[in-house]
Amino acid sequence: MAKILENLYKALGAGVVLALVVFFLVHRSVDAAFISFFVRWLHVLSGILWIGLLWYFNFVQIPTMPKIPAELKPAVGKHIAPAALFFFRWAAAATVLFGLLTAGANRYIVEALTFQSGFVTIGIGMWLALIMAANVWGIIWPKQKIALGIVDGTPEAKAAAARIAMLASRTNTMLSIPMLYCMVMQKLG
């Protein structure tokens, strides 16, 4: 068991195998309802990764960076942050994709995005998530590339980019609270 748990991909693979075992024990068949559920499950999994990393950045990395000795900061900026940002931005994209697929499969995408009766709460949550994802791809990631030196920039440009990325990330943290409320609160049907 230790050999599985020592490797992230083996541990993830074992999790998938366990999920399949549960599936075959409980459901035993693949139908439209299961496919709809499965896409929603992928939406939740990717959302946990996205918001978990968002909160990691805002609750752990950003407040801790000023306390880290200067000689150790390159380890975060060159190794940890780029890896976390990779999963962060792709989890945002996956969350939106699977969320839209879920809404489409359940035939409420238009109703939610246009705030029709019975879909206002989920619609607000969807729009907040879309704004947050746009923030990730349009502001946070481009500015982090400058701040981390992935693309060239002067020290002043790096500092300015880091500040803008932090403010956009804090905006997403703020928006994540009502977004999560809306996603959990919505009752369909």
Side-chain angles (χ1 to χ4, degrees):
M1 186 63 148
K3 291 292 182 194
I4 292 172
L5 298 176
E6 289 171 353
N7 180 295
L8 173 63
Y9 299 105
K10 288 180 181 177
L12 290 172
V16 169
V17 168
L18 289 172
L20 289 172
V21 167
V22 170
F23 163 71
F24 286 115
L25 287 174
V26 176
H27 301 286
R28 299 177 195 254
S29 68
V30 175
D31 56 10
F34 177 78
I35 298 296
S36 177
F37 158 77
F38 186 73
V39 172
R40 187 172 69 241
W41 180 66
L42 292 173
H43 173 61
V44 170
L45 285 177
S46 55
I48 289 169
L49 181 58
W50 178 21
I51 301 305
L53 285 167
L54 173 68
W55 287 13
Y56 158 77
F57 287 127
N58 282 275
F59 287 91
V60 178
Q61 186 170 310
I62 293 170
T64 304
M65 284 303 289
K67 302 171 192 167
I68 296 176
E71 67 273 8
L72 300 178
K73 287 184 181 185
V76 175
K78 297 292 181 199
H79 301 284
I80 295 171
L85 285 163
F86 173 84
F87 288 102
F88 175 68
R89 68 183 185 272
W90 288 107
T95 302
V96 169
L97 172 65
F98 292 127
L100 291 172
L101 288 173
T102 296
N106 289 292
R107 295 178 169 74
Y108 65 83
I109 192 166
V110 172
E111 292 85 349
L113 291 174
T114 59
F115 304 114
Q116 292 180 26
S117 180
F119 297 92
V120 173
T121 306
I122 196 72
I124 292 169
M126 289 170 70
W127 277 108
L128 288 171
L130 290 169
I131 291 165
M132 291 169 61
N135 225 0
V136 168
W137 284 94
I139 299 172
I140 296 170
W141 175 234
K143 294 301 180 185
Q144 282 290 10
K145 287 193 290 188
I146 297 167
L148 296 171
I150 295 169
V151 299
D152 289 332
T154 65
E156 295 79 18
K158 288 180 179 184
R163 177 161 172 71
I164 292 168
M166 183 275 295
L167 292 173
S169 183
R170 288 284 164 83
T171 298
N172 275 10
T173 300
M174 177 184 69
L175 295 177
S176 73
I177 296 167
M179 182 272 301
L180 288 168
Y181 168 81
C182 289
M183 296 300 186
V184 172
M185 167 38 190
Q186 179 64 36
K187 282 177 36 177
L188 296 176

